[in-house]
Amino acid sequence: MDQHRDYSKFTTTDFFTDDLFVRHVLSGDDASSAYWQAVARQHPQQAEAMEEARLWIWALNKQAPYRPKVPASDVWAVIEANIAAHGRRKQYYRPLRIAARWAGAVAASLLLMIAIREFTAQGKKTYATDFGKREQIVLPDESVVTLNANSSIHYDRTWLTDKPREIWLTGEAYFEVKHVAVRNRLQQSDSFHVHVGGLELTVLGTRFNIKNRRRHTEISLLEGSLRIVRTGTGAFVKIIKPGEAFVWDSTQLRLREMERKPAASKSWTHDELDLDGYSLREILNVLQDTYGYSITLQAPELAEKRLTGTIPAQNAEDILFVLKKVFDLKIDQENKHLTISQN
């Protein structure tokens, strides 16, 4: 190993592209472990960059590289077939040729109008869901976002190949981010950034859930790696690993670990509500935030009671039925207002 290499100014990208470091992460032995432990002791300020680079290397080598949906060979086959078919076409009568020209001109005009409308849009592509509704969105890079009810995302229509992929979220969404980086190569354009609740999340080929409600942002990582950055007041950098979940409290400027497991946080994508770690107050918040109810709880002593298990949550009525039976509640409904009291 090169004992004279200066790691004092190495960034995450530098470690990521360092052959010695990559070999250590993927197939290191006792000697390489001792070497990198010595580097970490000598340059403690680089520990964060080394850990993040390790996570990136691990993520890239655990996931299949990106492949377009349509192979290039299939595209060429279609082109060649079209060329051959064109050569075999029969001659059309002159009136039909004229009609075809007119139809082509009309179609071209319509396409031009659509292109102009898209180009002159405000530069953003926005998706938003109503109360009680959710939507699955395929992004330009083929990443998939499942958007929960009463939520929205937007991103710049002109995602450029030399810039990071960026998206802004309000509400709740489950992300399956497409891995686009080439093995053992990290460029700025390979990363995927989510802006939510005053935080910036940097991810690469990963699955995670984000819930941004009531000035709290819950982040649950199921697969891959994720870096959370807060700038300004309360600034911090946190790298989280699969199986970890954290919540950012913007009222107290505090990041803390959540009791709820990441798998529980995404149960809503399967029309379920995993109640582990939820109090009755938090369940009622779900009814308000996701289904649009206003609620008066006339039995405040029940607010911190907790439930366990998983219940169906295809609609609000499923949740209300369980609450009514488990807590022996009386639920009076007038339009979208619920008054809840003890029987």
Side-chain angles (χ1 to χ4, degrees):
M1 294 187 183
D2 185 355
Q3 302 293 335
H4 303 290
R5 188 168 299 185
D6 182 10
Y7 293 103
S8 61
K9 296 182 180 179
F10 261 43
T11 64
T12 299
T13 303
D14 293 329
F15 281 112
F16 186 90
T17 56
D18 185 89
D19 290 340
L20 287 179
F21 190 75
V22 171
R23 286 199 297 270
H24 162 66
V25 173
L26 298 179
S27 57
D29 53 20
D30 291 342
S32 69
S33 296
Y35 174 76
W36 287 106
Q37 287 171 8
V39 171
R41 286 194 299 271
Q42 185 177 0
H43 305 290
Q45 74 279 9
Q46 303 303 95
E48 183 179 300
M50 292 174 66
E51 175 63 11
E52 186 174 11
R54 186 189 67 79
L55 290 173
W56 286 141
I57 294 166
W58 178 85
L60 287 175
N61 282 272
K62 290 293 183 181
Q63 300 178 69
Y66 170 74
R67 294 286 185 273
K69 287 184 176 179
V70 180
S73 58
D74 291 354
V75 175
W76 278 112
V78 171
I79 293 173
E80 290 171 353
N82 286 339
I83 292 173
H86 181 75
R88 294 194 300 268
R89 279 185 194 147
K90 296 179 180 180
Q91 295 294 322
Y92 292 100
Y93 291 107
R94 183 175 180 79
L96 291 180
R97 290 179 184 170
I98 295 173
R101 289 196 191 102
W102 276 104
V106 171
S109 299
L110 288 174
L111 288 173
L112 180 61
M113 291 173 62
I114 293 171
I116 292 173
R117 186 182 64 185
E118 289 292 309
F119 182 77
T120 56
Q122 295 182 347
K124 290 182 182 178
K125 181 67 175 177
T126 301
Y127 295 91
T129 51
D130 293 329
F131 288 113
K133 304 292 183 180
R134 70 169 183 250
E135 183 176 358
Q136 190 171 83
I137 301 149
V138 180
L139 300 177
D141 65 343
E142 298 180 16
S143 295
V144 178
V145 179
T146 304
L147 195 61
N148 205 354
N150 184 30
S151 303
S152 66
I153 60 169
H154 73 263
Y155 57 88
D156 193 334
R157 289 170 180 265
T158 56
W159 266 9
L160 302 176
T161 56
D162 61 340
K163 300 293 184 182
R165 299 165 286 166
E166 292 189 274
I167 194 167
W168 284 258
L169 166 69
T170 300
E172 184 170 17
Y174 176 67
F175 289 80
E176 295 178 278
V177 175
K178 196 75 174 181
H179 163 42
V180 299
V182 175
R183 186 179 293 268
N184 292 344
R185 185 215 68 178
L186 180 63
Q187 295 184 347
Q188 186 183 29
S189 58
D190 297 329
S191 61
F192 186 107
H193 295 183
V194 181
H195 303 271
V196 57
L199 304 176
E200 180 178 337
L201 281 61
T202 302
V203 301
L204 181 65
T206 192
R207 298 186 298 121
F208 58 99
N209 193 81
I210 304 176
K211 181 178 180 180
N212 173 236
R213 308 279 195 196
R214 300 169 183 266
R215 304 193 69 181
H216 287 72
T217 302
E218 298 178 5
I219 303 162
S220 304
L221 180 62
L222 286 87
E223 180 182 293
S225 59
L226 189 154
R227 180 179 64 180
I228 310 171
V229 176
R230 162 79 180 184
T231 57
T233 305
F236 68 89
V237 176
K238 176 70 177 178
I239 298 172
I240 68 173
K241 303 173 184 177
E244 294 183 331
F246 288 83
V247 59
W248 166 250
D249 183 345
S250 63
T251 60
Q252 299 182 8
L253 299 180
R254 185 166 69 99
L255 183 73
R256 58 180 172 82
E257 194 169 355
M258 282 202 308
E259 297 178 9
R260 197 170 304 132
K261 296 179 180 179
S265 298
K266 63 158 288 192
S267 61
W268 62 270
T269 63
H270 304 296
D271 293 324
E272 295 178 340
L273 183 60
D274 191 318
L275 299 177
D276 289 346
Y278 274 95
S279 64
L280 176 60
R281 184 191 306 279
E282 290 173 312
I283 298 172
L284 298 182
N285 287 345
V286 170
L287 288 168
Q288 295 179 81
D289 297 336
T290 305
Y291 297 98
Y293 287 98
S294 61
I295 299 175
T296 300
L297 179 61
Q298 294 184 339
E301 67 277 5
L302 296 177
E304 301 308 319
K305 294 287 186 180
R306 294 183 180 271
L307 295 174
T308 58
T310 302
I311 63 173
Q314 188 169 11
N315 51 57
E317 287 71 24
D318 291 340
I319 301 173
L320 290 171
F321 177 80
V322 172
L323 297 181
K324 186 175 181 179
K325 294 298 182 182
V326 171
F327 290 107
D328 190 25
L329 299 175
K330 179 183 178 183
I331 301 177
D332 296 317
Q333 181 173 350
E334 184 176 351
N335 297 321
K336 295 292 286 187
H337 181 78
L338 303 176
T339 301
I340 302 176
S341 57
Q342 187 84 64
N343 268 329

